């Protein structure tokens, strides 16, 4: 599928208004699971009753990697987290099995190891050039447009040869309200810049952002020489800040605040049909000792940028790095992988 480079296109007002902020919503989503160990009943029930189910999230079983037996009390868990321009359209596409113009422009793999001591969040650059089953090579974010959620899952599972256990799709309309519900989020801006998304100027150093400013902060890429690479780093930094705020004792000890955050997030989150009240409560309990410092975020290494045969600006995949990551995922040893690879 031929299209002009994203870097060659001007920003379009009103398009993807809340695009590429999955990390922020994800941060709150994960924090809700952790906080649920404190307020398990009401919080998880609120999340379960207000979220939407994805009727068909996975490809046919014969197209998936084999299930791995586990000899431990808990098994490792992989969650695929997608940001979609329209969550409803993406879910309809999954149910009907037809193509649309939807793209998963923010893609993350969250790995929870069997020992439940960490949460690993790996960003996959949206323009990474990969093999999409039945479609040939294309940017990974095109999988949603070609075949909906099941094809995205199949593409990621094929890339790493490991199963996805659960899928989360986020509609970003609730982002600003969630940020404001937390009373603003502080970030330490590494380099000053002006975002075309709202025309906000960010000076270097610590500052507290409201929802509108935060949206401009995490969406911007045109202001940076490294484009999407810097945007991903900013998103990861913001995620850590959100987790720090939610996991602060002043927040966790305030049931009104926690309930407000959960109520703001839940209507904008969709999950696969196996995510239910009992599963979330069990997961929250198993993660009760995890704090923001135990959440490790990084980006799948690449070979930089290039141009496809049909003229698209793409991110070149690093097959050696993918193989190393896949082996660590299979062995549930991401801690050693990150230490040896120096990835961050």
């Amino acid at each position: 599928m031929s299209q002009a480079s994203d870097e060659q296109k001007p920003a379009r007002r009103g398009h993807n208004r809340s695009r590429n902020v999955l990390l922020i919503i994800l941060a709150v989503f994960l924090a809700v699971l952790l906080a649920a160990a404190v307020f398990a009943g009401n919080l998880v029930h609120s999340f379960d009753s207000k979220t939407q189910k994805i009727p068909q999230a996975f490809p046919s079983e014969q197209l998936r990697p084999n299930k791995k037996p586990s000899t431990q009390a808990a098994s490792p868990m992989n969650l695929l987290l997608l940001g979609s321009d329209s969550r409803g359209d993406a879910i309809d596409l999954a149910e009907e099995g037809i193509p649309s113009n939807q793209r998963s422009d923010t893609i993350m793999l969250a790995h929870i190891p069997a020992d439940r001591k960490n949460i690993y969040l790996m960003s996959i650059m949206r323009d990474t050039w990969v093999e999409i089953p039945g479609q040939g090579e294309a940017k990974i974010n095109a999988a949603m447009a070609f075949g909906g959620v099941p094809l995205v899952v199949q593409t990621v599972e094929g890339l790493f040869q490991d199963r996805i256990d659960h899928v989360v799709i986020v509609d970003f309309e609730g982002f600003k309200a969630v940020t404001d519900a937390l009373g603003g989020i502080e970030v330490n801006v590494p380099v000053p810049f002006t975002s075309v998304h709202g025309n906000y100027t960010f000076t270097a150093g610590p500052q507290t952002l409201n929802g509108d400013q935060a949206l401009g902060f995490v969406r911007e890429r045109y202001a940076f020489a490294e484009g999407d690479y810097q945007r991903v780093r900013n998103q990861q930094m913001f995620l850590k800040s959100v987790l720090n705020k939610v996991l602060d004792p002043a927040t966790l000890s305030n049931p009104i605040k926690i309930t407000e955050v959960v109520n703001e997030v839940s209507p904008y989150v969709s999950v696969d049909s196996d995510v239910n009240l009992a599963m979330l409560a069990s997961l929250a309990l198993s993660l009760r000792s995890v704090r923001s410092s135990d959440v490790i975020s990084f980006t799948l290494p690449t070979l930089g940028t290039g141009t496809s045969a049909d003229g698209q600006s793409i991110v070149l995949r690093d097959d050696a790095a993918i193989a190393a990551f896949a082996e660590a995922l299979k062995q549930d040893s991401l801690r050693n992988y990150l230490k040896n690879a120096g990835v961050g």
Side-chain angles (χ1 to χ4, degrees), residues 147-216:
V149 180
L151 186 58
V152 180
V153 172
Q154 187 181 353
T155 300
V156 175
E157 289 187 337
L159 194 63
F160 302 124
Q161 292 301 303
D162 203 27
R163 289 175 72 98
I164 300 298
D165 297 294
H166 298 291
V167 179
V168 178
I169 302 177
V170 178
D171 184 324
F172 303 127
E173 289 301 312
F175 164 68
K176 291 185 290 187
V178 170
T179 305
D180 290 333
L182 289 170
I185 298 298
E186 183 177 290
V187 297
N188 189 7
V189 180
V191 182
F193 69 95
T194 298
S195 174
V196 300
H197 304 283
N199 196 32
Y200 295 108
T201 296
F202 301 95
T203 58
Q207 53 199 280
T208 299
L209 310 181
N210 63 27
D212 288 319
Q213 294 168 328
L215 186 58

Side-chain angles (χ1 to χ4, degrees), residues 118-151:
N118 297 93
I119 298 174
Y120 297 95
L121 305 173
M122 185 188 70
S123 300
I124 302 175
M125 300 292 289
R126 64 179 191 164
D127 290 342
T128 303
W129 196 247
V130 300
E131 182 72 23
I132 297 179
Q135 301 294 331
E137 289 190 313
K139 296 179 181 181
I140 194 170
N141 75 333
M144 181 77 81
F146 288 141
V149 180
L151 186 58

Side-chain angles (χ1 to χ4, degrees), residues 25 32 37 43 49 65 68 78-79 100 110-111 118 130 136 159 248 265 269-270 279 296 316 338:
I25 302 298
V32 166
L43 287 183
S49 62
K68 294 181 299 185
N78 295 324
L79 295 91
S100 80
H111 176 75
N118 297 93
V130 300
L159 194 63
D248 186 277
V265 175
V269 175
S270 297
M279 175 261 171
I296 301 170
L316 302 172
L338 292 171

